[in-house]
Each structure stands twice: as C-alpha cells, then as structure tokens.
Amino acid sequence: MNCVLWLNYGLLLNRFIVYFSNGVGGAITLIFITIYLIHVSNKKFGFAILYTLILIAVLTGLDLLFFKLVPYDWTGKIVLVFNVLMYAAPGEKILIVFRSWNYNLIPIWSTFAGIACSTCWFIYGIYLIDWYIMIPNVLGILFSIFQIFVFFIFKNKKKKFKREN
C-alpha cells in the first residue's frame, strides 16, 4: 500500500525517481504475494485469496481516489502517515524482544538497509525541499537506529547472562 501511495504522489508531482522506485517496489510486492499464494497451505488459501483480492480492490480504489480527486498536499500527508507506519511496524518485534530477550527477532541486516534507504530518501527530500519525503524518512532513520541499539544491547546482555550462569 505504501508503494502505491508513493507512486501516486510521484505521478502527481511528476517526480520520476519517486514513481519509478515505488513502481518497482510495487512489482516486487506483487511477485512476493504471488509466491506466497503458491506456497500457502490449502487451509489458508481461501483466506489468502480473499485478503489479496480485498487488498487489490482497496489499492485500486485508493489509486483512483488519490490520482484523480485528492490534491497533492493531502496525498502527501496520507503517504507520510503510511510511510511512518511502515517504518514503525517492526516495533512489535521490539516489544517481543523486551519480553523474551530474544534479540534475533530483529532483522538486523534489513534494519541497516532501512537506514541506508531512509538516508537516501531524506537527502532527496532535502534536495527537493519536500517535507512529505523528509519527515517520514527522518523517522525511519530514528526507528532503525533504535532497533539497532536494542539489538546490540540485548545481544550483549544475553552474552553476559550466559557467562554468569
């Protein structure tokens, strides 16, 4: 959903980099969904198809709504919210890490990639002076740094805990 909304934002403002990169991201997401549907168990297949069809309908509706009806500043605000939600999504894993002390739940390499990606988009947002690009990516950088901090804190605590026992 994030890629589709950013794709619309890029199209509204005629920013090739924004809509091209998110078009590629949307295509990769469709490939992932297809692979998931191929490998999902028979019991979950009906639910997975229903969920996928609902998601496609919602995305198509949002695509038409945002591209045709909503001015770019509202589109930017909505895209900003969804982008922040995407970066904050691993927060659920952080809560589980605090409860279980299992730092392996944090996808560390994906988190480093998130920092690199957010930094590049933040710099691009500065170049364009586009707050809708800058704000969520600064938050993405901060969320990712926090995840890395938690990863290494719990990794070191687990090593100390094992030595003491």
Side-chain angles (χ1 to χ4, degrees):
M1 184 175 277
N2 192 36
C3 283
V4 170
L5 293 172
W6 274 110
L7 179 72
N8 290 322
Y9 184 74
L11 286 170
L12 284 171
L13 297 178
N14 199 23
R15 295 199 171 127
F16 177 76
I17 292 173
V18 174
Y19 65 78
F20 177 76
S21 62
N22 286 287
V24 170
I28 291 169
T29 301
L30 286 176
I31 292 168
F32 174 77
I33 290 171
T34 303
I35 292 169
Y36 174 77
L37 289 174
I38 290 169
H39 294 289
V40 72
S41 69
N42 289 337
K43 292 179 183 178
K44 294 182 182 179
F45 186 76
F47 176 74
I49 287 290
L50 179 65
Y51 179 75
T52 303
L53 291 175
I54 289 171
L55 186 63
I56 289 171
V58 168
L59 291 177
T60 303
L62 287 173
D63 187 35
L64 293 173
L65 177 71
F66 286 107
F67 190 64
K68 300 291 183 194
L69 303 174
V70 178
Y72 90 92
D73 60 329
W74 275 98
T75 303
K77 291 172 186 169
I78 293 168
V79 168
L80 186 148
V81 168
F82 275 91
N83 205 25
V84 169
L85 289 174
M86 179 193 71
Y87 285 128
E92 177 188 4
K93 297 285 187 203
I94 298 295
L95 293 175
I96 295 170
V97 168
F98 279 114
R99 281 189 230 127
S100 68
W101 286 47
N102 185 1
Y103 64 90
N104 290 319
L105 295 172
I106 299 173
I108 194 67
W109 295 111
S110 176
T111 305
F112 281 121
I115 287 176
C117 181
S118 293
T119 302
C120 291
W121 280 110
F122 176 68
I123 292 168
Y124 181 67
I126 290 173
Y127 172 74
L128 297 174
I129 309 171
D130 189 332
W131 291 99
Y132 300 124
I133 295 175
M134 285 188 283
I135 291 171
N137 287 294
V138 163
L139 293 173
I141 292 167
L142 295 174
F143 287 146
S144 295
I145 289 170
F146 178 70
Q147 288 177 32
I148 290 170
F149 179 73
V150 168
F151 178 85
F152 285 109
I153 292 293
F154 278 88
K155 184 176 181 181
N156 291 334
K157 280 189 177 188
K158 197 144 193 172
K159 284 180 183 177
K160 288 179 185 176
F161 184 73
K162 283 182 181 179
R163 281 189 220 140
E164 291 174 4
N165 288 333

